Amino acid sequence: MSTPRTYKQIVLNERPVGNFEPSTFRTEVLPFNLKPGRGEVLVKSTWLPLIPAMRGYVRDARSYLPPVKIGEVMRAEVGSVGVIACQLGKRAGAKVYGMAGSPDKCDWLVKELGIDGVLNYKSKTFRDDLKKIGYIDVFFDNVGGEILDMVLTRLAQNARIALCGAISQYNSAKPRGLQNYQNLISQRAKIQGFIVFDYANRYPEAIKELSAGLVDGSIKRKFHIVEGGIEQAPKALPLLFNGGNTGKLVVKIAEEPKSKL
């Protein structure tokens, strides 16, 4: 593999107040002078995953990771959490209902993933549809806002809520507060923040479970690929917040190297 003369990096240019703006990030082209030291290795990235949590990384506030500073390179993680949560629930024998914002996404979750049902949160009958499934024992939340508040009215006794994200509120200058939290008291329910880094000691267990699901076909994946290089990443990010992606959002930043083996 030939060594390039330059490389590109995406840095935080300014902190957005609401939605990501064209001026939020900037692309820098730098001379390729990256030389691994002793015990290090230089790798070529071919894919860049994009996740909603990136909105939190650029907020200057206390969180589970330090905020990205102005001029620093943006960091990335692997996402598509809700789809995996649904499939792991089915593997564990639970009755699983999902939520999505379009008929196509709802159909895919039922027909391809095999979960028990999907509620379209953009449907006029969403509230009634939520009531029809009965009371909820476990709710894995990535949305927050109005939907979480609605779910609080449908909790079973001793229900548990894993609060993993709040994508509906990330771009809001004044996030919506919860109105129905008193149901946590009456139903003796629990709501707790969920950060995957807290379970690092169980990563081997998770890898084993996910690997088994991929092999036997009970865990499926779907990708929404954006091509055009790393500079397309800032343009693709808004897809996560307007429902424009139809799978795990990834940017193709380079061609995969051909193996010499």
Side-chain angles (χ1 to χ4, degrees), residues 9 50 74 113 131 137 154 176 186 245:
Q9 63 180 21
L50 302 180
M74 276 298 293
L113 300 193
K131 291 180 181 180
D137 295 298
R154 305 300 302 164
R176 185 185 191 277
S186 63
N245 62 305

Side-chain angles (χ1 to χ4, degrees), residues 7-245:
Y7 71 97
K8 297 176 182 178
Q9 63 180 21
I10 305 295
V11 302
L12 180 62
N13 188 56
E14 63 182 26
R15 299 194 188 280
V17 176
N19 296 322
F20 285 118
E21 301 290 345
S23 57
T24 300
F25 305 102
R26 69 174 184 267
T27 302
E28 295 181 344
V29 180
L30 302 174
F32 191 89
N33 56 4
L34 305 176
K35 296 181 179 180
R38 186 174 183 179
E40 297 179 335
V41 62
L42 183 64
V43 299
K44 178 181 179 180
S45 298
T46 53
W47 301 95
L48 176 68
L50 302 180
I51 59 172
M54 288 177 168
R55 183 60 184 84
Y57 297 162
V58 302
R59 183 178 290 115
D60 191 12
R62 186 167 68 102
S63 187
Y64 61 92
L65 288 176
V68 176
K69 297 178 181 180
I70 301 296
E72 282 188 339
V73 177
M74 276 298 293
R75 55 177 171 254
E77 296 176 16
V78 178
S80 199
V81 177
V83 169
I84 296 298
C86 285
Q87 294 179 91
L88 289 177
K90 287 302 297 180
R91 281 179 60 83
K95 192 170 186 179
V96 177
Y97 289 89
M99 295 183 185
S102 73
D104 288 343
K105 291 181 179 180
C106 291
D107 287 344
W108 182 74
L109 288 168
V110 173
K111 295 178 181 178
E112 293 295 324
L113 300 193
I115 65 176
D116 298 281
V118 182
L119 309 179
N120 187 336
Y121 59 81
K122 293 182 180 179
S123 169
K124 295 180 180 180
T125 63
F126 175 65
R127 288 180 179 271
D128 292 334
D129 295 337
L130 181 62
K131 291 180 181 180
K132 290 178 183 178
I133 68 174
Y135 292 113
I136 299 168
D137 295 298
V138 178
F139 183 58
F140 190 91
D141 185 33
N142 270 317
V143 179
E146 185 179 2
I147 289 180
L148 173 58
D149 210 22
M150 201 181 306
V151 168
L152 289 176
T153 68
R154 305 300 302 164
L155 296 179
Q157 187 171 312
N158 299 314
R160 293 168 292 157
I161 298 176
L163 198 60
C164 183
I167 192 171
S168 69
Q169 305 299 302
Y170 286 158
N171 292 325
S172 175
K174 292 184 179 181
R176 185 185 191 277
L178 297 177
Q179 303 296 316
N180 299 312
Y181 64 90
Q182 292 186 53
N183 286 315
L184 294 168
I185 302 172
S186 63
Q187 299 307 317
R188 285 80 92 192
K190 296 178 181 178
I191 182 169
Q192 181 176 345
F194 178 85
I195 302 296
V196 70
F197 303 139
D198 295 341
Y199 301 89
N201 64 323
R202 299 188 66 182
Y203 285 178
E205 180 184 346
I207 292 172
K208 181 180 180 180
E209 180 74 11
L210 291 169
S211 299
L214 289 171
V215 171
D216 65 26
S218 62
I219 292 181
K220 298 179 176 65
R221 299 167 293 175
K222 186 177 184 181
F223 295 96
H224 184 121
I225 298 173
V226 175
E227 301 199 28
I230 194 173
E231 56 267 40
Q232 298 302 315
K235 301 175 185 178
L237 265 175
L239 293 174
L240 293 168
F241 302 95
N242 60 27
N245 62 305

